[in-house]
Amino acid sequence: MSSQIISSHSSDSNAPSDLTRFLLPREAFDTHVHVFDPALGQYDAKRAYTPEDAPLKTLIAFNQSLSAEARNSKLVLVQPSPYKTDCSVMMQCLQTLKDRDINAFGIAVLDLDNTTDAQLKEMHALGVRGIRLNFQADGKKVNTDKLVAALVRTADRIQYLPGWVIQLFIPGQLWDYLHDKILELPVRIIADHLGGMRGSTKLPSELKSMSTSQPGFESLLSLAKQSRVYVKISGLYRMSNCPASTFDDLQPIIQTFAQEIPDHIIWGSDWPHTGDGHNRTENTLKVKEPFRIIDNPAILKMLQSWIGSDCYRKMLVDNPNRLYQK
């Protein structure tokens, strides 16, 4: 395991007892984690980057370090992009977690044209509860026709699977474009990483003083109020250029979510915190890309101070337990 991961989490397990109030309570969910383990399965040859190793045992230890009690909280494994549509590593991990009596779910990335309904049912049996569509990872302009086609196609295939969702990572302004289409879909949506809403440090000058007025924001709130979307409070470092562990420019956005849609927000750590890819080239595939060093207890403490204890519990416990069901 890389030194970056160890150094970012090694002190978590020694958190003093008076700080446990903001750690993960019993029945809490971490709804966004990844496993990178080439020993279990090789990365796709056409991947954008090669990550450091982040095996399941290290994920379990990380989750334990954030939990207020001895038992691990519930996990949602999200298929990471270096594996493309080969979900075999995630499925092996879900089986291992099931064997260890650790509650876990999965969000897959699939080539639906080459996936049978029987295979989807097998994935469901191991805890998969949705499919991720990532239209943000490569930084390219989004083809909206392709995005809508993918949404409709995916929803059509999974609507008969109990509790399945589409997990969508898109630039925030696209919620305006997608609003009416999402209302027509037969499945719910999880909006990844604050729904793509950016803090003032990542906004153009004319929007810096009013981040909650950025394009897409009102449409995202509208969809959540109509119970069509859950917004994931995760990846704060992807939506802000503020110094690590502060992300103060996201406070107005997150507080508005807490005030306006408290029953439709969930939290994810985004462990093991992959980079943003701005320095990636074809040559860098030969070198393992280090993870970010993130102070996860500090982020949890900050979130609790921003949204209050009642909403904090909704975000960690009540809402995800309603969304992810066996």
Side-chain angles (χ1 to χ4, degrees):
M1 199 63 208
S2 72
S3 60
Q4 284 82 0
I5 292 178
I6 298 299
S7 63
S8 67
H9 308 313
S10 59
S11 62
D12 294 351
S13 61
N14 296 319
S17 59
D18 63 334
L19 298 182
T20 59
R21 59 185 176 82
F22 61 81
L23 294 178
L24 304 180
R26 179 180 290 273
E27 298 298 310
F29 267 81
D30 184 344
T31 69
H32 199 110
V33 295
H34 305 293
V35 170
F36 298 103
D37 192 346
L40 293 181
Q42 293 301 305
Y43 301 125
D44 191 276
K46 296 181 179 180
R47 66 192 180 278
Y49 68 103
T50 302
E52 287 279 2
D53 294 356
L56 181 61
K57 65 178 182 181
T58 310
L59 167 59
I60 293 172
F62 163 72
N63 181 255
Q64 183 64 64
S65 75
L66 290 183
S67 300
E69 300 185 11
R71 187 177 179 83
N72 286 77
S73 56
K74 300 177 182 180
L75 297 167
V76 181
L77 275 59
V78 177
Q79 172 76 353
S81 61
Y83 287 113
K84 297 290 187 178
T85 59
D86 180 0
C87 294
S88 58
V89 170
M90 184 184 75
M91 299 308 294
Q92 290 178 70
C93 291
L94 287 174
Q95 182 65 64
T96 299
L97 290 165
K98 182 178 181 180
D99 294 342
R100 295 185 56 174
D101 197 28
I102 296 174
N103 287 310
F105 298 86
I107 298 292
V109 176
L110 297 174
D111 175 3
L112 287 175
D113 290 332
N114 292 293
T115 304
T116 66
D117 288 343
Q119 289 172 319
L120 291 176
K121 291 177 181 178
E122 289 174 3
M123 299 180 85
H124 180 86
L126 270 182
V128 174
R129 290 297 180 269
I131 293 178
R132 191 187 199 205
L133 300 178
N134 186 346
F135 281 79
Q136 181 99 319
D138 59 10
K140 298 177 182 177
K141 186 176 180 180
V142 177
N143 182 322
T144 51
D145 290 340
K146 183 178 179 181
L147 169 57
V148 170
L151 279 170
V152 173
R153 165 71 166 147
T154 303
D156 181 64
R157 284 296 303 277
I158 70 173
Q159 62 178 308
Y160 304 107
L161 293 162
W164 278 50
V165 300
I166 296 174
Q167 185 164 305
L168 189 58
F169 188 27
I170 56 173
Q173 70 270 16
L174 289 184
W175 295 107
D176 288 337
Y177 180 83
L178 294 175
H179 181 275
D180 292 348
K181 176 56 66 177
I182 287 175
L183 289 177
E184 299 172 357
L185 294 178
V187 300
R188 289 178 293 187
I189 303 292
I190 294 176
D192 257 354
H193 303 325
L194 303 178
M197 296 301 152
R198 295 173 291 166
S200 60
T201 57
K202 281 204 167 188
L203 288 172
S205 57
E206 65 270 19
L207 290 173
K208 285 187 180 297
S209 63
M210 48 181 185
S211 59
T212 56
S213 296
Q214 64 185 286
F217 193 83
E218 286 300 325
S219 291
L220 181 60
L221 287 179
S222 170
L223 288 166
K225 288 177 181 179
Q226 296 177 77
S227 299
R228 305 311 303 153
V229 168
Y230 279 77
V231 179
K232 187 181 296 178
I233 309 300
S234 62
L236 274 59
Y237 40 83
R238 303 186 189 281
M239 298 299 139
S240 170
N241 285 330
C242 277
S245 299
T246 58
F247 312 114
D248 294 340
D249 61 331
L250 294 174
Q251 183 175 354
I253 293 171
I254 293 173
Q255 286 183 326
T256 300
F257 287 154
Q259 293 162 4
E260 297 288 332
I261 52 170
D263 296 321
H264 291 88
I265 56 174
I266 56 179
W267 170 81
S269 67
D270 197 28
W271 187 91
H273 317 301
T274 58
D276 59 13
H278 69 280
N279 290 324
R280 289 172 185 165
T281 67
E282 187 173 338
N283 290 332
T284 61
L285 282 181
K286 302 173 184 177
V287 180
K288 289 185 176 181
E289 183 176 294
F291 301 124
R292 305 173 196 244
I293 298 176
I294 300 297
D295 190 341
N296 291 280
I299 290 176
L300 287 172
K301 183 177 182 180
M302 179 183 64
L303 289 174
Q304 188 190 55
S305 72
W306 285 355
I307 68 178
S309 297
D310 289 345
C311 190
Y312 187 71
R313 180 171 179 82
K314 284 187 175 184
M315 178 181 71
L316 292 177
V317 179
D318 299 340
N319 298 343
N321 272 285
R322 188 171 61 250
L323 181 61
Y324 301 95
Q325 296 186 2
K326 291 293 186 184

